[in-house]
């Protein structure tokens, strides 16, 4: 069955983890494009302020206080969407959290809590979304990561959870395709993004952690997500670095092990002594309604690779045109030599 997705301006979109980072950026950009929104997060105060902000702009928006690790909370999100707007067309599983520390140092309780959000939150959201979408069509969009394909040291639980999200998403996609369900299933794989990721993570290191470069703007991830809401895509990498890391992990895994061992420990450490370990959002919501932290150093505001992935025809025209131009230049120089 051919999958047909609606224009964003006619869609009802569910976004989990909607009060911070990529989720918040996606909500604001979707609102500007006329979408109706159902926003979910643990932070009720932040949700209410966001609903007020978007409502003043004319956006139809509902909110649900929910912990995606709890199945009944996720079912409540779908219930509110259907009761308020009669349906939803796209479901975005965005909520996520990380932990910095050596695997041996991180408590099993914290690792289980991370998986409850990052993996089981995606499972809950995906299965609830599919119940509704398989009969009417739509898009399911799950947030993976570049570490879905290549694990990082010092973020073992996070890497494992994103590997698990990839495995579950790929399996679910095949099952839906086999039954002919009109549901587009997309896995978004961002590189490091300038959000509140580090501030929300729990830290076991002796110094404050940081994201390894290169770092990209959250707007790039939001644009990729919203593109997938309108265009069926299997995967979308956000940032050329994400694609490079994934490809290198596939074709040269031992070389990547060596590179990671050599550089990735130090790249995730700062010179700032660690602050209070309890200041994190692993078990309870923290400060929200911030799209970016404001990373030191350069943040990429665009990605030619991601733009090409979202606009393959213009990219191919440009590629072929460039090739023809280079060929013509070469022929001209050859004839000039003669």
């Amino acid at each position: 069955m051919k999958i047909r997705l609606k224009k964003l301006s006619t869609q009802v979109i569910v976004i989990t983890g909607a009060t911070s980072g990529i989720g918040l950026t996606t909500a604001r950009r979707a609102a500007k494009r006329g979408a109706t929104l159902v926003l979910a997060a643990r932070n009720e105060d932040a949700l209410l302020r966001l609903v007020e902000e978007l409502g003043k702009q004319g956006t139809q928006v509902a909110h649900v206080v929910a912990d995606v690790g709890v199945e009944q909370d996720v079912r409540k999100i779908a219930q509110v969407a259907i009761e308020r707007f009669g349906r939803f067309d796209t479901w975005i599983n965005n909520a996520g959290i990380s932990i910095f520390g050596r695997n041996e140092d991180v408590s099993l309780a914290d690792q289980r809590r991370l998986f409850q959000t990052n993996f089981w939150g995606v499972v809950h959201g995906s299965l609830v979304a599919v119940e509704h979408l398989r009969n009417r069509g739509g898009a399911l969009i799950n947030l993976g990561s570049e570490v879905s394909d290549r694990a990082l040291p010092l973020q073992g639980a996070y890497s494992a959870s994103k590997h698990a999200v990839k495995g579950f998403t790929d399996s679910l996609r095949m099952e839906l395709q086999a039954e002919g369900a009109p549901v587009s299933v997309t896995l978004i794989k961002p590189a490091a993004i300038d959000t509140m990721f580090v501030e929300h993570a729990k830290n076991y290191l002796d110094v404050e952690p940081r994201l390894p470069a290169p770092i990209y703007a959250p707007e790039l991830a939001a644009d990729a997500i919203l593109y997938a809401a309108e265009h069926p895509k299997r995967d979308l990498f956000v940032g050329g670095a994400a694609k490079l890391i994934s490809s290198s992990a596939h074709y040269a895994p031992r070389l990547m092990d060596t590179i990671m061992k050599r550089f990735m420990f130090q790249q995730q450490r700062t010179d700032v002594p660690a602050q209070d370990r309890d200041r994190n959002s692993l078990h309870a919501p923290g400060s929200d309604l911030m799209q970016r932290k404001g990373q030191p150093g350069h943040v990429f505001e665009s990605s030619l690779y991601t733009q090409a992935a979202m606009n393959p025809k213009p990219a191919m025209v440009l590629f072929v045109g460039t090739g023809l131009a280079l060929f013509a230049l070469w022929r001209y120089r050859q004839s000039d030599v003669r």
Side-chain angles (χ1 to χ4, degrees):
M1 181 179 294
K2 188 173 182 179
I3 298 173
R4 299 182 183 277
L5 302 179
K6 300 177 181 178
K7 292 293 184 182
L8 215 62
S9 58
T10 65
Q11 285 200 34
V12 178
I13 300 178
V14 172
I15 305 174
T16 69
T19 57
S20 182
I22 292 173
L24 176 60
T25 309
T26 303
R28 286 171 169 161
R29 289 174 94 79
K32 287 182 178 179
R33 293 178 59 181
T36 297
L37 301 177
V38 180
L39 307 178
R42 292 178 296 171
N43 189 329
E44 184 173 18
D45 177 65
L47 277 172
L48 290 173
R49 285 186 285 144
L50 181 57
V51 167
E52 181 181 12
E53 171 196 326
L54 299 180
K56 288 179 179 178
Q57 300 172 13
T59 302
Q60 293 190 77
V61 56
H63 76 281
V64 185
V65 179
D67 182 336
V68 296
V70 179
E71 182 184 0
Q72 289 307 312
D73 281 13
V74 177
R75 291 196 172 277
K76 184 181 176 183
I77 299 171
Q79 180 183 350
V80 168
I82 294 168
E83 289 179 351
R84 180 77 180 272
F85 304 115
R87 70 185 199 282
F88 55 85
D89 305 292
T90 293
W91 184 294
I92 301 165
N93 286 311
N94 165 75
I97 193 73
S98 190
I99 300 172
F100 286 87
R102 294 173 59 87
N103 288 295
E104 297 169 272
D105 297 334
V106 178
S107 75
L108 292 179
D110 282 348
Q111 294 192 49
R112 290 190 181 102
R113 174 64 250 195
L114 180 146
F115 256 79
Q116 199 66 27
T117 298
N118 291 12
F119 176 67
W120 287 108
V122 169
V123 172
H124 295 154
S126 297
L127 297 181
V128 168
V130 165
E131 287 179 13
H132 180 75
L133 295 176
R134 68 162 19 103
N135 294 320
R136 60 181 303 118
L140 171 65
I141 302 171
N142 291 340
L143 266 291
S145 168
E146 60 186 358
V147 303
S148 294
D149 300 321
R150 171 70 232 187
L152 288 178
L154 303 183
Q155 289 193 71
Y158 181 75
S159 298
S161 72
K162 292 301 184 178
H163 271 65
V165 165
K166 179 184 183 300
F168 173 79
T169 302
D170 289 349
S171 177
L172 179 62
R173 183 190 299 109
M174 289 186 287
E175 292 170 357
L176 291 171
Q177 289 174 343
E179 70 180 66
V183 182
S184 172
V185 180
T186 302
L187 184 65
I188 305 291
K189 298 179 182 180
I193 304 292
D194 181 17
T195 66
M196 301 300 289
F197 181 92
V198 172
E199 284 65 29
H200 288 173
K202 186 163 184 177
N203 180 31
Y204 278 79
L205 303 177
D206 59 343
V207 295
E208 285 296 294
R210 64 181 174 185
L211 290 174
I215 299 173
Y216 295 84
E219 287 80 4
L220 301 183
D223 287 345
I225 291 168
L226 296 179
Y227 180 86
E230 292 185 313
H231 305 86
K233 293 285 289 185
R234 186 183 190 277
D235 301 283
L236 270 175
F237 290 89
V238 180
K243 179 62 177 178
L244 176 63
I245 288 174
S246 175
S247 298
S248 300
H250 179 77
Y251 291 107
R254 293 199 179 197
L255 175 61
M256 284 300 290
D257 285 347
T258 301
I259 292 172
M260 291 280 180
K261 182 176 65 177
R262 174 67 178 84
F263 297 106
M264 204 50 64
F265 285 89
Q266 193 56 41
Q267 281 201 21
Q268 295 182 86
R269 294 171 58 91
T270 69
D271 296 327
V272 180
Q275 300 181 26
D276 184 0
R277 183 179 291 178
D278 292 332
R279 292 179 55 187
N280 62 79
S281 301
L282 181 62
H283 295 276
S287 58
D288 278 332
L289 285 189
M290 292 184 65
Q291 292 181 191
R292 302 191 186 201
K293 176 197 174 184
Q295 295 286 339
H298 183 70
V299 173
F300 288 90
E301 301 292 336
S302 62
S303 167
L304 290 176
Y305 174 83
T306 303
Q307 284 298 319
M310 294 191 296
N311 299 278
K313 289 182 180 179
M316 182 58 69
V317 169
L318 178 62
F319 176 78
V320 172
T322 302
L324 291 173
L326 290 173
F327 178 72
L329 178 62
W330 176 79
R331 288 294 301 271
Y332 172 78
R333 287 182 174 176
Q334 289 294 103
S335 62
D336 194 48
V337 168
R338 295 193 193 98

